[in-house]
Amino acid sequence: MKRRSFVVLFSALLSLTLTIQLHAQKIKVIVDQDARGPATTDMQSLLIFLQSDKFEVLGITTVSGDQWMKEETARTLRLLEIAGRTDVPVAEGALFPLLNSKEESERWEGLYGKLGYKGCWSDFSKRAHVPEAYRAGYHDPEVVPPLAEGEPHIKPIDESAAAFIVRMVHKYPGEVVIWAGGPMTNIALALRLDPQVATLAKELVLMGSGMYADSGGINGVDGRREFNWWFDPEAVRISLRAPWKKITITPIDISVKTNVSSEIHNAIAKADTPVARYLTQYSEPGFMWDELSAAAMIDPSIVTANKELYVDIDIDHGPSYGETLFWGPETKLPSYQRKATVQFDVDTKKLYDLYIKLMTQPPRGQ
C-alpha cells in the first residue's frame, strides 16, 4: 500500500473511532413530557435536550398532564421541526391517568377546597392575565386545537410510549436515563409491561414533588401537592417503588428559586435562529421547573445542595391525596421504600448562562 493511501486510510479510521467514542459518551435519554405549548417550561426543557450535544435523545414520549396528550404530541412534533431535529422519534403515551380523573378532582374540590391549577382539566379562557397563546378553553381529550406556532408536517411513530421505553432499555441495557418532566403514567405502564425496565435503566430523573416549599403547589400554599405527581399519584407510587439503580428528583423546592426573567428573554431575542424566534414570540416569565432538571444533567454543579431522602406519595383518596411523602435516610422503613437524591439549591448564574447559550446557538442538525 502506498504511503499516501495508508495515511488517508489511517485518518479515516481515526476519525471514525473518535466519532464512535464521542457518540458513546453522550447520555442516552428518553424524555417523557407533558408537553404543553408553545414555549412553556415543558417545551423549553425539550429544547435543552435537543440543543445540547451532551445528549443522544432516543425519543420523546408524551403524556397527558399540562395539556391533553394528543395536543402535546402535535406541539412536540412542531417543535422538532422548528429546532431542526425531526430525527427524534415521538411516541404517544397515556391519554388518562391510571385512576385520577377530572371528575375525581371536582369531587375532591367539593370536599376540601379549590385547586388553583389542574392542567388539561382547566379552562384557561376564564382566567385574567393569561397570554393569548395559552388562553384556551377546556376541550375534549381527542381534540387538537389550531396551534399558534403552526401545524406539524411529521407524525408520531406507530408505537406506544410504554412499549418504546421497554424496547429502548432492552436495546441499551444499563445506558438509558429516563427523564420525566410530567406525570409518571407512561413509566408506570412500562413497568407493568416489563418490570425489568427499572433494573435495565441507568437512572430515573424526575421533575416533580414538593417537600418543604410553601409555594409552587397547585393549591398555592402547600408545596407537597405538586401538579405532576398529583395528576397521577398511583403512577408515582408504582414508579417510585420499583428497583431503579438511581433516582434523582428536582422538586418545586428548588424550582421556585429560578426565573425566566426579561433579561434572559432579551438575551435570547438577540439571536436570529428558529429556536430563538420561537421563544421570543411565545415564552413567558416564570419558574424554570423543567429546564433546571434538564440542565443539571448537563452540568451537575448547577445544583449546589442535595439530600438523600426516602420519597413516596399519598394515594389515600382523602384530603392528602397526591401529597408527597418523604423521610430522612436513617428512618426505618419497609424494603419497598426507595431512596432518592433530591435537589435543594441552585447556582442560578450557571443555570441562566447555560440556558441562554443553548437557546441562542444554531440548530444542532440531524
Side-chain angles (χ1 to χ4, degrees), residues 179-180 184 203-211 226 229 236 240 246-255 289 292-293 296 303 305-312 324-326 338-345:
W179 181 91
M184 282 188 260
E203 183 180 358
L204 178 66
V205 180
L206 307 170
M207 189 282 128
S209 79
M211 279 73 178
E226 180 272 334
W229 286 24
V236 176
L240 285 180
K246 183 179 180 182
I247 301 174
T248 300
I249 299 174
T250 307
I252 60 176
D253 300 64
I254 185 173
S255 301
W289 310 97
L292 169 58
S293 184
V303 175
N306 296 288
K307 291 184 180 180
E308 296 295 313
L309 297 171
Y310 289 100
V311 185
D312 207 331
T324 307
L325 303 173
F326 63 100
R338 307 290 177 185
K339 279 184 185 177
T341 300
V342 185
Q343 301 166 339
F344 277 101
D345 213 346

Side-chain angles (χ1 to χ4, degrees), residues 26 104 115 153 160 181 200 203 219 232 255 265 283 333 348:
K26 292 180 183 292
E104 169 67 13
L115 297 168
H153 298 91
S160 73
L200 287 171
E203 183 180 358
N219 59 350
D232 194 345
S255 301
H265 191 272
S283 68
L333 295 167
T348 53

Side-chain angles (χ1 to χ4, degrees), residues 17-309:
T17 300
L18 291 173
T19 300
I20 291 172
Q21 288 177 343
L22 180 62
H23 193 68
Q25 291 170 359
K26 292 180 183 292
I27 300 171
K28 290 181 172 63
V29 62
I30 296 171
V31 181
D32 188 75
Q33 183 62 285
D34 59 336
R36 184 183 181 213
T40 61
T41 182
D42 303 330
M43 293 307 198
Q44 289 164 188
S45 65
L46 290 183
L47 284 170
I48 288 176
F49 288 108
L50 297 170
Q51 292 284 94
S52 172
D53 59 7
K54 187 74 175 285
F55 299 107
E56 179 185 351
V57 182
L58 300 176
I60 299 169
T61 52
T62 55
V63 60
S64 287
D66 285 328
Q67 285 173 333
W68 289 113
M69 180 273 293
K70 294 287 186 182
E71 180 179 352
E72 294 169 356
T73 300
R75 293 188 185 278
T76 299
L77 294 168
R78 180 61 187 138
L79 182 73
L80 291 175
E81 293 175 341
I82 292 169
R85 292 302 309 275
T86 55
D87 58 304
V88 176
V90 176
E92 293 187 305
L95 190 56
F96 300 102
L98 298 182
L99 190 59
N100 201 9
S101 66
K102 183 175 184 291
E103 294 72 24
E104 169 67 13
S105 74
E106 291 165 353
R107 182 198 72 83
W108 191 97
E109 288 179 305
L111 292 170
Y112 307 114
K114 287 292 182 181
L115 297 168
Y117 180 77
K118 299 199 296 179
C120 60
W121 298 332
S122 301
D123 185 345
F124 296 100
S125 66
K126 298 178 180 179
R127 302 193 179 200
H129 312 299
V130 175
E132 185 177 354
Y134 312 106
R135 201 178 300 146
Y138 175 80
H139 63 75
D140 289 338
E142 298 285 349
V143 171
V144 178
L147 307 187
E149 64 272 39
E151 306 299 326
H153 298 91
I154 57 176
K155 304 292 183 183
I157 61 175
D158 187 20
E159 184 177 24
S160 73
F164 179 81
I165 291 169
V166 170
R167 182 165 64 86
M168 287 296 104
V169 296
H170 278 275
K171 185 176 181 180
Y172 303 107
E175 297 182 53
V176 178
V177 176
I178 300 173
W179 181 91
M184 282 188 260
T185 320
N186 290 337
I187 297 167
L189 290 172
L191 287 163
R192 286 296 187 252
L193 280 177
D194 185 354
Q196 291 187 74
V197 164
T199 53
L200 287 171
K202 180 179 181 180
E203 183 180 358
L204 178 66
V205 180
L206 307 170
M207 189 282 128
S209 79
M211 279 73 178
Y212 308 103
D214 57 5
S215 63
I218 59 175
N219 59 350
V221 288
D222 183 6
R224 291 178 60 202
R225 184 173 284 112
E226 180 272 334
F227 173 77
N228 284 350
W229 286 24
W230 164 86
F231 190 79
D232 194 345
E234 285 75 20
V236 176
R237 170 64 62 87
I238 291 169
S239 300
L240 285 180
R241 292 189 176 186
W244 306 92
K245 294 183 180 71
K246 183 179 180 182
I247 301 174
T248 300
I249 299 174
T250 307
I252 60 176
D253 300 64
I254 185 173
S255 301
V256 297
K257 300 178 181 182
T258 67
N259 181 40
V260 180
S261 64
S262 58
E263 289 78 11
I264 293 175
H265 191 272
N266 293 338
I268 292 171
K270 294 176 183 177
D272 187 24
T273 67
V275 164
R277 291 194 294 269
Y278 167 82
L279 293 173
T280 300
Q281 184 170 0
Y282 298 114
S283 68
E284 294 291 327
F287 298 131
M288 301 180 76
W289 310 97
D290 296 5
E291 300 96 321
L292 169 58
S293 184
M297 288 181 61
I298 299 172
D299 181 1
S301 70
I302 286 173
V303 175
T304 58
N306 296 288
K307 291 184 180 180
E308 296 295 313
L309 297 171

